[in-house]
Amino acid sequence: MASILDEYEDSLYRSASVQQSRASVGIPHSGYVNARLEKETPIFNKQRIDFAPPEKINSLVVSSNQLCMSLGKDTLLRIDLGKPDEPNQVELGRKDEAKVYRMFLDHTGSHLLIALNTSECLYLNRSVQKVRALSRWKGHLIESVGWNKFLGSETNTGPILVGTAQGQIYEAEISVSEGSLFSTNPDQYFRQVYTLEEESGPAPVCCLEIERGIEGKFFIIATTRKRLFQFVGKVPEGTEQQGFSSIFAMHADHLPSFREFPASFGFSEIAFYTPKLRSNPRSFAWMMGNGVLYGTLDYSRPDSILSDERVWVYPSDIDITVNKPISIVLTQFHFLLLLPDRVKAVCTLNGQVVFQDLFLEKFGLLTRMIKDPTVQQIWIHTEKVVFRYHVQRESRDVWKMYMNMNKFDLAKEYCKDRPECLDIVLAKEAEHCFQNKRYLDSAKCYALTQNYFEEIALKFIEAKQEEALMEFLIKKLSNLKPSEKTQTTLLTTWLTELYLNWLGILEGDPSQRNLYLDTREKFRTFLSSPKNKDCLFNNRASIYELLASHGDTEHMVYFAVIMQDYERVVAHHCQHDEYDEALNVLSRHRDEKLFYKFSPVLIQHIPKKVVDAWISMGSRLDARNLIPALVNYSQSASTQQINEAIRYMEFCVYQLEETQQAIHNYLLSLYALCRPDSLLSYLEQAGTNPNRIHYDLKYALRLCAEHGHNHACVHIYKVMELYEEAVDLALQVDVDLAKSCADLPEDDEELRKKLWLKIARHVVQEEKDVKKAMACLSSCALLKIEDVLPFFPDFVTIDHFKEAICNSLEDYNKHIEELKREMEEATQSAKRIREDIQEMRNKYGSVEPQEKCAACDFPLLNRPFYLFLCGHMFHYDCLLQAVFPNLPAYKQAKLEDLQKKLAATSQPSKSHHRPKDADTISLGKGQQSREQIKADIDDIVAAECVYCGELMIRSIDKPFIDPQKYEEEMQSWL
């Protein structure tokens, strides 16, 4: 396997030259084709509004899709951009020469302030048609308004800030609520709160912005021509409606924090960018004399909201003395500068001009550029034309700028849905990390790119960065598809080789112990990874070879466990005499086949633990498959060790209730060999019913005979019902045992007598004990003295049998007397029977004319009938019909036969007279008389009352409806 990897590394060097040649002819190293099928639309897409103003446009404002423009001297045009076909025209009603100086529209598009060049200010609400003059504002030329986005509504502005050309900041509130005290004058109050100054004195307040931070903190930004002021303070909760006077009062004695720049072109303008899903701006851009101050807004800062500030100077073609910027608008990644004849878009990330749009002279000079903060549309107008810019996919090229700035995380964020761009960023980040010797980070990035695998691998090999190479291979492996099996196999095998090399190096260095443990854990995680499982399993032979070539038995066992190759694990432990470990593996994974395979080895060394493991497996193990292991073990082991085999066999027989003959036979052989006492108790516990005995009787008999266990043999003979053999063998052991055997054939008196004669002969001839022989006579009633006498020798005197002979004669006399008594009782019984018969012949019963059949309930005397002693009366045919179904089959057949015979004897008579005893005349030799046939029928049909006799008792469990006719009967009831 090592040679295969060496060849592969050589191929990497060969392929590297191919890559260089490809690069020299311009073949891209990326797997993506960077081609655009159609022209991409610009980020800022300009649209001219189809609108021809009747008069020149003085001013234009847009907010919340509400557009307001001042036309000529006295006309105001309002357009709801959602309904552009329904414009609303309002007349200012001014007769003097006043002109519109500036217009201000709040964030809701409801409140419009119109500043005149005569230092007056007008107000128009979206819901009304009449312009109102703000009397308290008179005498102030309004330069800026800071709207209250937190308390303002469609009818009330809430506290707002107003900046004048003289540098004063006023706080005011406008309300159009009907029924209010100031219903005729919308301005609620107008009071000065601060004055902005520069070095030369008060300066015009160019811009005002109010923002609210966390914990009730407010930030107020105000700009002049050269300075940017910040007022920070808290407004107590519940007092927001009282305005911002308290914040400005904090700076009455000292200047607030401000940023100042030396250059000025007479005014400044600040723009903010607010994301769609946020209420507060995220960034700002201040256009002033030295350039554009750009930064972000951090509301968590205590004293200043401005953060990450930097100044972008104006492009080189902008000369602020000749064509100074007029307006500025800020988007997410650009700020747009309005010049008299063009618009320039500058990227806020690198300060480069990314867009320029030149306007034709016929449109006139550009006057103003504003942005609707709610819909992110940009509006530009001249005195004659209105244009609108749509911002489309502004972030499309941002990734390049972040990438060139080495801000790779941000670059990846903005191209995550464009894989071809993401690949470029990852390749650049990987190269950057490699050059800065951050090899592990470089490997992680390279693994995500489409760059040539061989080129990257060679790069890390040449730098001798095996750890980084491993990281690269791991990441590359995790990104492979399931169908790329060849690549997966190659990377898996290569990683295994690298891990083993690295572990071998670290293991020999005590100072790298922690790194070794960490690497070992990573290697084990790699081997046990579910994603690599199939590949490792399919190539486990190669992995085993690699592990063996490195002599890493620890991980060989670990890998075998992961692959569930427990056979290899157990074999390894057995080869190294680690029998306990081998048994632990078997017990843990409970594989029956492995138990059968390794039990012969393990039981030779740890028999007790092996038997314990077998017992814990319970019925999952087939004890028959373990018998060979036990047989080999028992042949070479001592009696003490054989006890373990007996213990397991007893567990199978008594606990698992095994019925396999092989198991019971083997247990018998072990008992016969080592435990004779247990042998007999086992045989007795097994019983004497051959059908319920699980061992082989013949095998057991031969086994017990070989080992001389006669008592056990006697028991087996008894089970086999070989009573003569049992008695013969029992007489060699114990006469009492023979006696117990002789009484077993209870149903065969002749055999019992024969067996007892055997015992008696043995007692007389072998033991020559007359008393014991006489005891045999008393033990068996079948034996008589005359049966035993032939066994005694001729020289025995009668004195020994005197008592027995007398007892025998007495028994005979008693028997004769008993027979006489029985004869007398029989004579008396016959006499009584004859008397009863005579009495029955004369017995009769009376039947009333109105009596009815108990079965059919019709008059009884109409047909032949039966009268029973119990009083029930039945017609002959009714009784026959009731009795016949309940008769046994043979009686039914006999009854049918008798009825046929009776019918055959019935002859039609030609005369009115017949012999008196015609029914009793014999019908021929060997034939029954008609009277006899009727008597036989009566014996069957009228043996007992059908209602009172046993027939009714026997039919108590029969259903009322025949099961075969149940469905039919049930249907008849429906």
Side-chain angles (χ1 to χ4, degrees), residues 386-426:
V386 178
F387 297 93
R388 179 171 58 190
Y389 281 95
H390 293 276
V391 183
Q392 297 179 340
R393 295 179 56 234
E394 184 182 4
S395 61
R396 68 182 70 169
D397 295 325
V398 170
W399 64 272
K400 291 182 183 178
M401 302 171 193
Y402 279 129
M403 181 182 70
N404 295 331
M405 297 164 63
N406 294 335
K407 295 182 178 181
F408 299 109
D409 290 338
L410 291 173
K412 288 183 284 188
E413 180 68 24
Y414 286 101
C415 64
K416 58 185 178 182
D417 55 345
R418 300 168 65 186
E420 70 281 0
C421 302
L422 181 61
D423 187 70
I424 297 172
V425 174
L426 289 169

Side-chain angles (χ1 to χ4, degrees), residues 604-623:
Q604 298 290 338
H605 300 88
I606 48 174
K608 185 179 185 306
K609 293 182 179 179
V610 171
V611 171
D612 289 339
W614 289 351
I615 292 175
S616 67
M617 287 289 288
S619 59
R620 294 183 59 178
L621 289 180
D622 187 347

Side-chain angles (χ1 to χ4, degrees), residues 21-22 97 117 126 195 310 384 392 409 411-412 541 606 725 761 868 872 889 916 937 964:
S21 63
R22 288 182 179 178
E97 296 299 323
N117 60 356
R126 185 169 65 179
T195 301
R310 64 180 306 175
K384 299 183 290 182
Q392 297 179 340
D409 290 338
K412 288 183 284 188
I606 48 174
E725 289 81 354
R761 176 181 291 180
F868 291 95
H872 287 113
K916 182 178 179 181
I937 292 175
Q964 296 179 352

Side-chain angles (χ1 to χ4, degrees), residues 764 789-798 800-801:
V764 173
L789 284 175
F791 302 146
F792 289 95
D794 295 338
F795 57 84
V796 177
T797 62
I798 196 172
H800 294 89
F801 312 112

Side-chain angles (χ1 to χ4, degrees), residues 719-773:
V719 175
M720 297 173 72
E721 297 183 354
L722 300 175
Y723 301 116
E724 292 189 41
E725 289 81 354
V727 170
D728 290 340
L729 186 59
L731 290 173
Q732 299 178 19
V733 179
D734 184 14
V735 174
D736 291 334
L737 179 61
K739 290 179 180 180
S740 64
C741 296
D743 283 330
L744 290 177
E746 297 177 355
D747 299 331
D748 192 345
E749 291 187 355
E750 184 179 353
L751 179 58
R752 285 174 59 202
K753 184 175 181 180
K754 183 179 179 181
L755 297 177
W756 277 100
L757 286 174
K758 281 178 175 286
I759 297 172
R761 176 181 291 180
H762 174 80
V763 171
V764 173
Q765 295 179 354
E766 298 297 332
E767 297 186 7
K768 298 182 177 12
D769 190 340
V770 177
K771 291 183 179 181
K772 191 175 287 188

Side-chain angles (χ1 to χ4, degrees), residues 880 883-892 895 940-941 951 954:
L880 181 65
V883 171
F884 186 82
N886 298 291
L887 292 175
Y890 75 93
K891 284 192 175 182
Q892 290 180 353
L895 182 60
I940 296 174
V941 175
L951 183 63
R954 289 197 302 270

Side-chain angles (χ1 to χ4, degrees), residues 447-608:
L448 300 175
T449 68
Q450 297 295 319
N451 288 24
Y452 290 115
F453 173 82
E454 298 89 344
E455 179 184 352
I456 300 170
L458 280 174
K459 200 167 188 176
F460 288 115
I461 292 173
E462 290 173 351
K464 298 182 180 180
Q465 294 296 322
E466 285 195 4
E467 189 176 0
L469 176 61
M470 289 164 59
E471 185 67 30
F472 169 68
L473 297 178
I474 291 172
K475 294 295 183 183
K476 203 69 178 177
L477 178 62
S478 64
N479 294 330
L480 289 178
K481 300 176 182 177
S483 59
E484 297 174 321
K485 296 183 179 180
T486 304
Q487 294 89 330
T488 302
T489 301
L490 174 64
L491 292 180
T492 301
T493 311
W494 194 3
L495 276 168
T496 303
E497 174 71 14
L498 290 174
Y499 267 121
L500 291 173
N501 288 336
W502 188 239
L503 287 172
I505 295 171
L506 294 176
E507 189 175 14
D509 188 354
S511 62
Q512 300 290 334
R513 179 64 180 171
N514 292 334
L515 181 58
Y516 167 77
L517 295 175
D518 184 55
T519 306
R520 185 182 68 175
E521 188 62 31
K522 289 181 179 178
F523 180 45
R524 293 186 173 184
T525 303
F526 166 74
L527 291 177
S528 58
S529 171
K531 187 172 183 180
N532 304 332
K533 183 176 181 180
D534 291 339
C535 178
L536 290 170
F537 182 80
N538 295 331
N539 298 277
R540 59 188 182 279
S542 301
I543 304 299
Y544 281 133
E545 290 180 12
L546 279 174
L547 293 167
S549 66
H550 285 266
D552 195 342
T553 57
E554 178 185 1
H555 284 105
M556 181 182 290
V557 173
Y558 181 83
F559 179 69
V561 172
I562 293 174
M563 293 295 104
Q564 297 184 356
D565 190 359
Y566 302 120
E567 182 176 350
R568 184 183 292 269
V569 177
V570 176
H572 169 79
H573 288 310
C574 290
Q575 290 171 3
H576 292 79
D577 297 337
E578 298 171 351
Y579 303 110
D580 288 332
E581 290 296 329
L583 184 59
N584 288 338
V585 174
L586 290 177
S587 301
R588 188 163 53 250
H589 300 288
R590 306 175 74 82
D591 189 332
E592 298 88 349
K593 295 180 179 179
L594 294 182
F595 266 104
Y596 300 147
K597 182 172 183 178
F598 292 100
S599 288
V601 177
L602 295 176
I603 200 169
Q604 298 290 338
H605 300 88
I606 48 174
K608 185 179 185 306

